[in-house]
């Protein structure tokens, strides 16, 4: 048994909208079911097929503000017109129960987590090119044109913030990206 095997880690996965975070993570979690994926809160409307309490906790603007006012969030951010946040309680509970936890959040939230928990491991998923990123975002058919434009406008700042991350994984070929993510996470668990 390695000497730090009892120490649990918090992994933060970020990247621009449409880069494939959800797709890469789904494959990773199927192969590594022992990780807990945090369920965020959001003021965004559910997409077709999204379920409250599974994909997100969908909150009204007032409910979200109430969580901010009562200091319920480990981090929260406004992204492309909606608010998103991670509840402290769930993260604390998972770490106390000895579970490795993964957050899939935006770059602003990731840097907030790092400030509060410097031991958190930040992983940025990069697109092979900006053109591919936009094609993936459009190809998903979940956002209207105005929302796609808003999300693409965030990309430059997101790439700048990525310089502060611990690791970058390029999501070109999906299987390679999942293998690279696995290498980073399993490697960090051994530290
Ligand atoms: P994100 O969670 O980062 O917003 P998604 O996981 O929803 O992105 O992926 C956006 C779109 O790109 C989806 O339609 C998904 O099937 C596709 N996609 C993800 N990864 C790849 C990949 N490596 N190659 C081709 N298409 C991909
Ligand atoms: P989407 O609307 O596509 O589900 O998510 C938009 C962005 O919000 C993505 O970059 C996603 O990672 C991010 N996000 C999801 N949950 C959270 C959260 O709890 N906090 C923050 N800061 N960002 C989040």
């Amino acid at each position: 048994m390695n000497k730090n095997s009892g120490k649990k880690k918090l992994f933060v996965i970020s990247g621009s909208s449409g880069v494939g975070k959800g797709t890469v993570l789904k494959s990773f979690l199927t192969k590594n079911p022992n990780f807990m994926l945090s369920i965020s809160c959001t003021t965004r409307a559910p997409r077709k097929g999204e379920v409250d309490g599974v994909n997100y906790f969908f909150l009204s603007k007032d409910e979200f503000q109430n969580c901010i006012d009562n200091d319920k969030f480990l981090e929260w951010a406004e992204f492309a017109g909606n608010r998103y946040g991670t509840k402290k309680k769930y993260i604390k509970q998972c770490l106390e129960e000895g579970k490795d936890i993964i957050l899939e959040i935006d770059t602003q939230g990731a840097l907030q987590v790092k400030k509060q928990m410097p031991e958190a491991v930040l992983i940025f998923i990069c697109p092979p090119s900006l053109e591919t990123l936009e094609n993936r975002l459009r190809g998903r058919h979940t956002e209207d044109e105005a929302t796609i434009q808003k999300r693409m406008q965030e990309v430059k700042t997101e790439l700048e913030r990525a310089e502060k991350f611990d690791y970058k994984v390029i999501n070109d070929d999906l299987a390679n990206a999942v293998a690279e993510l696995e290498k980073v996470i399993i490697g960090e668990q051994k530290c």
Side-chain angles (χ1 to χ4, degrees):
M1 205 159 97
N2 99 42
K3 65 182 168 67
N4 286 322
S5 57
K7 195 173 152 197
K8 292 301 158 187
K9 287 212 167 173
L10 183 76
F11 296 93
V12 181
I13 313 288
S14 278
S16 300
S17 183
V19 73
K21 300 178 295 296
T23 308
V24 170
L25 267 178
K26 192 172 170 203
S27 175
F28 173 85
L29 290 169
T30 304
K31 293 164 84 182
N32 300 276
N34 46 322
F35 286 84
M36 301 300 294
L37 180 66
S38 165
I39 303 171
S40 298
C41 299
T42 185
T43 59
R44 160 166 90 56
R47 292 179 188 137
K48 195 164 170 264
E50 283 185 331
V51 177
D52 188 40
V54 176
N55 303 93
Y56 279 106
F57 293 107
F58 294 99
L59 304 186
S60 67
K61 287 180 182 166
D62 284 350
E63 285 169 331
F64 198 98
Q65 186 61 47
N66 197 267
C67 290
I68 297 172
D69 294 344
N70 288 294
D71 198 25
K72 300 279 187 205
F73 289 128
L74 171 67
E75 62 74 33
W76 71 271
E78 186 145 342
F79 175 81
N82 292 300
R83 285 178 166 186
Y84 298 83
T86 308
K87 283 265 183 83
K88 279 180 191 169
K89 196 173 161 190
Y90 181 72
I91 305 303
K92 193 167 166 258
Q93 193 182 324
C94 286
L95 291 173
E96 278 171 7
E97 285 172 8
K99 294 169 182 160
D100 282 308
I101 183 152
I102 298 185
L103 308 188
E104 194 252 271
I105 61 175
D106 94 310
T107 49
Q108 306 169 77
L111 296 180
Q112 287 179 45
V113 171
K114 190 75 172 178
K115 241 185 206 168
Q116 296 181 61
M117 304 171 76
E119 70 281 12
V121 180
L122 268 48
I123 304 166
F124 187 83
I125 310 286
C126 306
S129 69
L130 290 182
E131 196 188 352
T132 307
L133 174 67
E134 189 161 352
N135 288 342
R136 283 184 189 166
L137 186 54
R138 287 183 185 285
R140 197 170 63 186
H141 301 296
T142 49
E143 268 71 37
D144 60 23
E145 183 58 30
T147 308
I148 290 171
Q149 295 294 338
K150 268 193 209 162
R151 289 178 177 228
M152 286 306 296
Q153 278 165 19
E154 300 288 336
V155 175
K156 188 170 171 279
T157 315
E158 289 167 337
L159 293 174
E160 284 165 10
R161 291 195 192 112
E163 294 309 313
K164 297 193 174 135
F165 278 53
D166 300 300
Y167 296 94
K168 288 182 195 165
V169 169
I170 299 175
N171 181 22
D172 190 351
D173 174 76
L174 181 61
N176 285 347
V178 175
E180 186 61 27
L181 182 67
E182 247 175 347
K183 206 170 98 186
V184 166
I185 291 183
I186 309 296
E188 276 288 338
Q189 282 183 314
K190 288 183 186 150
C191 295

